[in-house]
Amino acid sequence: MSDERMAGIIARFDERAADYDDSAMHRALAEAVAGFADFDQVGTVLDVGTGTGLVLRAIAARHPSLRLVGVDVTPGMLAVARRELPAAEFIEGRAEELPVADAAADLVTCVTVLHLVADPAAVFDEFARMLAPEGTLVTATFAVRPEHGHGAGAATPGYTPNHAPFQTPEALAEVAAPAGFVLARHETVDVGDDRVLIAELAPVD
Ligand SMILES: C[S@@+](CC[C@H](N)C(=O)[O-])C[C@H]1O[C@@H](n2cnc3c(N)ncnc32)[C@H](O)[C@@H]1O
């Protein structure tokens, strides 16, 4: 990813960090993801693009004994995450080259992040590398809601979000396939003004 694009993302989310948890949409989505994911056989959860750790906090409330690790590129978001969930481990890093060992996670979550990355194929390769055998990936991505858009993605200084590859189950399956994932199940939820596709992807046997 270009330094300019990454700098734009970090600047945007550093600015949002203090108020990010006020987003009822992101809090509700974190709960929906924690309710959707299957935690059978899960010991370690890795949340990529964890932000302020909302998803890990929702998981911790339901499954207090799990080992929880979050990775994000924005220091301000991670500072909130560390304050709010001191029991988890939070690491500064990029989704495209995650500072996590091979096969380290039984469940990888990635919630409203994929539209921000420049090279989704590299990110899915990283998901595959870090997942233990039998592990699963849960993504949440903005779907099309005709009355509200999310079609083109609004330009923000330094980067332009790209929603199109993740808006339908078919499109998501196509992006994930080269890294060896198949779409196992999915649901669509409306949270606030947004429609979100929550999907479980499993490595091909
Ligand atoms: C909309 S927030 C979502 C945060 C969290 N997943 C949630 O559901 O509340 C997007 C997050 O992705 C992070 N991010 C964007 N691109 C990233 C990348 N390439 N690597 C790691 N984190 C990234 C941002 O810093 C930001 O914290």
Side-chain angles (χ1 to χ4, degrees):
M1 186 182 289
S2 79
D3 287 347
E4 187 196 355
R5 182 185 173 90
M6 193 58 94
I9 287 169
I10 293 170
R12 168 106 172 102
F13 284 99
D14 263 337
E15 195 180 298
R16 285 183 66 185
D19 298 331
Y20 186 86
D21 289 359
D22 295 341
S23 166
M25 188 283 281
H26 283 294
R27 291 199 314 270
L29 180 56
E31 291 296 334
V33 169
F36 173 87
D38 180 356
F39 291 91
D40 278 358
Q41 313 296 323
V42 171
T44 298
V45 181
L46 175 72
D47 186 34
V48 178
T50 193
T52 61
L54 284 177
V55 173
L56 293 183
R57 284 188 250 167
I59 291 172
R62 291 163 187 250
H63 305 281
S65 62
L66 294 179
R67 177 174 176 245
L68 304 176
V69 182
V71 175
D72 200 283
V73 76
T74 303
M77 297 289 271
L78 287 173
V80 176
R82 289 182 180 116
R83 185 188 71 213
E84 296 297 326
L85 191 60
E89 181 185 352
F90 290 101
I91 305 168
E92 193 174 320
R94 300 177 176 213
E96 296 81 355
E97 42 182 352
L98 287 160
V100 175
D102 294 358
D106 307 299
L107 170 66
V108 171
T109 53
C110 185
V111 175
T112 63
V113 177
L114 288 168
H115 63 285
L116 299 171
V117 307
D119 186 356
V123 174
F124 278 95
D125 283 345
E126 280 292 81
F127 292 155
R129 180 186 66 76
M130 289 178 318
L131 271 176
E134 315 294 328
T136 54
L137 165 66
V138 170
T139 61
T141 50
F142 292 107
V144 179
R145 191 170 185 178
E147 62 272 35
H148 294 290
H150 266 310
T156 306
Y159 67 96
T160 302
N162 183 18
H163 293 283
F166 319 106
Q167 283 185 308
T168 65
E170 296 76 19
L172 180 65
E174 198 175 314
V175 181
F181 289 101
V182 289
L183 186 62
R185 61 191 176 98
H186 68 276
E187 69 179 29
T188 303
V189 296
D190 288 342
V191 278
D193 285 343
D194 292 294
R195 182 161 293 168
V196 178
L197 171 64
I198 305 177
E200 180 183 277
L201 297 124
V204 180
D205 288 335

